[in-house]
Amino acid sequence: MLTDAHHRIIDYVRLSVTDRCNLRCTYCMPEHMRFVKSSALLTDAEIVTLLETLASAGISKVRITGGEPFLRPGLIPLLASIKAIAGIQQIAITTNGVLTHRYIPDLKALGITHVNLSLDTLQPQRFHQITRRDRFAAVMQTLDSLLAHQLQVKINVVVMDQVNTDELVPFAALTRELPVSVRFIEEMPFNGQGHAFSGINWNYETILDTLRERYTLHKLPDAPHSTALNYSIPGHAGNIGVIPAYSRTFCGTCNRLRISATGSVKTCLYGPDALNARDLMRSGEALLPAIQQALHHRAANGFAAERLHAGTPESMSVIGG
Ligand code: SAM
Ligand code: SF4
């Protein structure tokens, strides 16, 4: 069992399988993003070894993220290998939906039931403005197909001041007919200098207050390690959630490790890299003791972790979200 310095059990890993992306969301990266060489990425075999090692220490849930995971060649066979690892009980995936549509039957066949789709606007022109790419129709096609295949869909909406706050109610309205969970995420300072960031005007409370002006919200029970505060709206097929990602109210129950596409391990989204699993594997060193040690030095929360982390703002496409 992996535990940290503050008696939190770690049973969830978020693994980035590529740093590359086919969108350029302003809150995530600059237009001209530098990607790493392919040889720097964890290989399929290294990913499997890494996850086998983590599963032997109690990791039971894996979220595949990126960059855009569907840009990694051979993603579906890699997912099948991960699925076969003893102890891995749940695989989830976070995607921007641009290429996802054609792989949905494969996901379904693999028993991958949870897909998080990132979508920050319901307006095609605004989509172009936010992502710097004209791929709205492809993402909507993915949404339709995910629902047609009865996958559990969460739509991640990053709430950006003066960009999409007028769409909180339209997004909540989407849950009237669609059985999706729309989760409004506070913007975090990980844009790799994609745009200036000096804190947020829209936190989870502002978001909820705005939604309450239009809807009655009933609090739903949250799963034990949920980062989202979830609510139902009477008569709606789906539900909504808010994720205080910048306010960091959920650190006390954090059960996750993050591993980048190049093997950097973070014990906190806001903190520095604690070690590099790829380098340890390539030099034949043991992984688990290094990971345990990193967890023993884990900061108590995202504010403490942030104080340990100087330098230029990272891009979320490198961290994996
Ligand atoms: N490309 C995939 C996607 O967009 O779903 C997976 C990787 S992306 C880095 C993972 C999640 O992080 C997405 O839901 C995205 O909206 C979110 N994200 C990226 N940058 C963010 C930021 N600065 N603040 C809050 N969320 C962010
Ligand atoms: Fe790409 Fe996802 Fe970052 Fe947007 S949020 S640029 S889709 S990695």
Side-chain angles (χ1 to χ4, degrees), residues 21-25 27-29 66-68 96 118 316-317:
C21 195
N22 43 12
L23 298 182
R24 293 288 183 278
C25 305
Y27 55 77
C28 180
M29 60 167 77
E68 174 47 35
N96 64 25
S118 303
M316 196 68 102
S317 64

Side-chain angles (χ1 to χ4, degrees), residues 12-313:
Y12 173 23
V13 64
R14 297 179 63 103
L15 174 75
S16 170
V17 293
T18 180
D19 65 332
R20 289 154 176 72
C21 195
N22 43 12
L23 298 182
R24 293 288 183 278
C25 305
T26 50
Y27 55 77
C28 180
M29 60 167 77
E31 167 71 274
H32 300 290
M33 182 72 188
R34 278 213 196 144
F35 300 115
V36 300
K37 284 194 270 179
S38 298
S39 58
L41 300 177
L42 289 166
T43 64
D44 286 4
E46 286 167 345
I47 287 176
V48 171
T49 301
L50 177 54
L51 291 179
E52 279 172 348
T53 306
L54 291 171
S56 74
I59 295 285
S60 60
K61 176 177 172 185
V62 179
R63 174 168 297 281
I64 303 297
T65 177
E68 174 47 35
F70 288 93
L71 284 177
R72 183 178 174 111
L75 179 70
I76 298 296
L78 175 61
L79 292 176
S81 305
I82 296 173
K83 180 85 185 161
I85 296 172
I88 301 294
Q89 289 161 16
Q90 196 190 351
I91 305 176
I93 194 155
T94 301
T95 174
N96 64 25
V98 170
L99 299 173
T100 319
H101 165 252
R102 71 191 75 151
Y103 298 106
I104 292 171
D106 297 317
L107 297 180
K108 184 91 180 164
L110 280 170
I112 294 175
T113 49
H114 295 65
V115 176
N116 287 8
L117 181 68
S118 303
L119 178 65
D120 309 303
T121 176
L122 298 169
Q123 302 174 18
Q125 255 190 310
R126 187 176 281 177
F127 181 93
H128 195 165
Q129 181 195 333
I130 294 172
T131 68
R132 305 185 180 108
R133 297 291 184 271
D134 189 13
R135 304 308 304 274
F136 180 76
V139 180
M140 294 311 281
Q141 189 184 13
T142 288
L143 176 58
D144 287 347
S145 183
L146 287 168
L147 294 173
H149 284 83
Q150 297 178 324
L151 289 165
Q152 288 189 43
V153 182
K154 290 178 180 165
I155 298 180
N156 286 349
V157 184
V158 178
V159 177
M160 290 163 279
D161 192 21
Q162 298 183 33
V163 176
N164 63 351
T165 51
D166 57 339
E167 292 195 69
L168 298 181
V169 169
F171 265 112
L174 202 65
T175 67
R176 195 158 77 93
E177 304 297 338
L178 302 185
V180 297
S181 176
V182 171
R183 290 125 43 94
F184 299 104
I185 307 177
E186 290 178 354
E187 186 179 356
M188 292 177 268
F190 302 115
N191 60 48
Q193 295 184 308
H195 68 182
F197 184 91
S198 56
I200 54 172
N201 289 324
W202 286 77
N203 69 10
Y204 68 105
E205 287 167 323
T206 328
I207 295 167
L208 286 172
D209 287 346
T210 303
L211 291 168
R212 282 197 183 100
E213 285 171 16
R214 172 66 184 80
Y215 293 114
T216 303
L217 304 182
H218 292 297
K219 185 81 192 68
L220 290 168
D222 297 316
H225 303 284
S226 175
T227 53
L229 302 165
N230 297 298
Y231 297 82
S232 65
I233 300 175
H236 284 219
N239 55 57
I240 65 123
V242 284
I243 304 188
Y246 187 72
S247 302
R248 285 161 264 183
T249 56
F250 46 65
C251 300
T253 58
C254 181
N255 64 339
R256 55 196 66 193
L257 264 185
R258 291 182 157 79
I259 304 178
S260 79
T262 56
S264 295
V265 177
K266 276 190 190 296
T267 58
C268 174
L269 175 58
Y270 282 86
D273 295 344
L275 61 103
N276 189 289
R278 176 203 60 199
D279 294 347
L280 289 179
M281 285 188 284
R282 290 186 187 177
S283 62
E285 288 169 71
L287 275 173
L288 265 188
I291 290 173
Q292 278 285 14
Q293 197 183 347
L295 286 169
H296 284 144
H297 291 102
R298 192 181 192 211
N301 57 50
F303 295 100
E306 193 174 21
R307 287 195 286 275
L308 303 170
H309 197 190
T312 49

